[in-house]
Amino acid sequence: MVQGRRSSTKSRNTSSSSAQWDEVGKTVKEGAEELAALTTHSELYEWAKEHKFATASMFPKFKTELNKRLDIDYDELRSIAQRQRLAQIEADAADRPMVEQWAAGDDEVSSYAVCGPEGLVAWYGEFYEEDEIRKEGDQNSADLSAAGKAVFLAGKVREELEVPALTVRIHVLNHHVRAEDLMRAALSAGVVVEIDVDEDTTALDWSREPGSKSWRETKLERLLAAEADPSEEWDSAEETDSRAGSDRE
């Protein structure tokens, strides 16, 4: 009986999937002229939303039908748009302030922490169950989620400073955390991400502390990277010129 019910369920799922394929294929075929006139992945996504195709089960079928019937590669269009957006962010971030943070997750206790310069704890607590990145039992995903929170926080610093873009350097303990894995978050935050793997355990230590702290409790300007005082550099330069002049005399 159990085996029969499983077979029946599988049959219904297959039938449902087949019906979805038919629906998407028919709609794409009928809207071919309209779809061919759309030039960006964003426009295509909006079209999919209008036709109720922007769901986990329908959207992959929509992308397949686009490619099969109209030679439209949705993923490639999105990739092109992302590269263009990233290039613009990198250009806008030039000569802007840099944010510096330390991030770590701890899968064992299901927690994370993001710290700033001089040991400042900016944000820590337990992962929410609905966290889109962290997967229970996967330490790499815990560290990646923590780094993603650092990117989000850098975006809030950018908004606070009212600049179009900036760079965030994130120090992590896990070499599996890569900047390219954070591209979606970086594009959303309007920041350039640099990843540095080091042995500083400040964030990891805070991730194991009881309690929590919201990022809203943190003065965002304190997350800016420590920089040399320009006046000190100027004084040093003046002193060098003075000594050179004295030698010439």
Side-chain angles (χ1 to χ4, degrees):
M1 291 295 293
V2 173
Q3 187 177 16
R5 284 199 298 272
R6 288 177 178 172
S7 177
S8 177
T9 300
K10 181 178 180 181
S11 177
R12 287 197 298 271
N13 290 341
T14 302
S15 177
S16 175
S17 177
S18 179
Q20 288 180 351
W21 276 110
D22 291 342
E23 180 185 356
V24 174
K26 180 174 180 292
T27 306
V28 169
K29 182 178 180 180
E30 292 174 349
E33 185 175 350
E34 182 181 359
L35 285 165
L38 304 180
T39 59
T40 69
H41 77 287
S42 297
E43 293 173 335
L44 291 167
Y45 185 76
E46 287 302 316
W47 195 94
K49 284 176 61 177
E50 291 173 6
H51 292 79
K52 306 295 190 292
F53 294 158
T55 67
S57 63
M58 300 286 271
F59 197 65
K61 298 177 177 64
F62 173 69
K63 292 195 296 182
T64 298
E65 290 293 336
L66 278 180
N67 206 345
K68 180 178 70 176
R69 296 179 181 274
L70 306 175
D71 292 323
I72 296 175
D73 190 332
Y74 178 91
D75 290 335
E76 178 60 21
L77 289 176
R78 181 178 60 182
S79 179
I80 291 172
Q82 287 178 337
R83 291 196 296 270
Q84 292 174 339
R85 170 66 176 145
L86 184 59
Q88 184 61 57
I89 291 174
E90 290 175 343
D92 290 339
D95 301 322
R96 299 288 182 181
M98 173 178 283
V99 171
E100 188 162 26
Q101 299 179 87
W102 285 255
D106 190 325
D107 175 69
E108 185 176 351
V109 293
S110 185
S111 62
Y112 64 89
V114 178
C115 297
E118 300 180 357
L120 167 71
V121 56
W123 189 8
Y124 79 101
E126 295 184 357
F127 287 112
Y128 290 123
E129 290 184 4
E130 60 270 24
D131 191 292
E132 295 183 356
I133 299 176
R134 188 255 172 173
K135 307 301 180 187
E136 186 175 357
D138 184 347
Q139 179 58 46
N140 290 339
S141 70
D143 282 319
L144 185 60
S145 179
K149 296 180 190 304
V151 174
F152 169 85
L153 197 48
K156 293 302 177 182
V157 177
R158 180 190 63 76
E159 293 175 8
E160 184 71 15
L161 298 179
E162 298 182 351
V163 295
L166 51 72
T167 298
V168 56
R169 177 177 296 137
I170 305 173
H171 301 270
V172 298
L173 295 165
N174 191 335
H175 69 275
H176 290 290
V177 176
R178 304 175 302 171
E180 51 264 40
D181 297 326
L182 298 164
M183 178 180 290
R184 182 176 178 182
L187 293 174
S188 178
V191 301
V192 177
V193 176
E194 295 181 358
I195 295 294
D196 176 56
V197 181
D198 64 26
E199 298 180 355
D200 190 314
T201 63
T202 302
L204 180 61
D205 294 340
W206 269 105
S207 75
R208 294 169 176 171
E209 286 290 323
S212 63
K213 178 182 180 180
S214 168
W215 66 267
R216 295 183 183 277
E217 301 174 50
T218 298
K219 185 174 182 178
L220 297 175
E221 291 89 339
R222 294 186 63 187
L223 297 176
L224 293 174
E227 297 179 350
D229 186 341
S231 63
E232 292 182 0
E233 294 181 358
W234 175 253
D235 291 342
S236 176
E238 287 186 328
E239 184 178 352
T240 300
D241 290 343
S242 175
R243 288 175 179 174
S246 176
D247 291 340
R248 285 194 297 271
E249 291 175 359

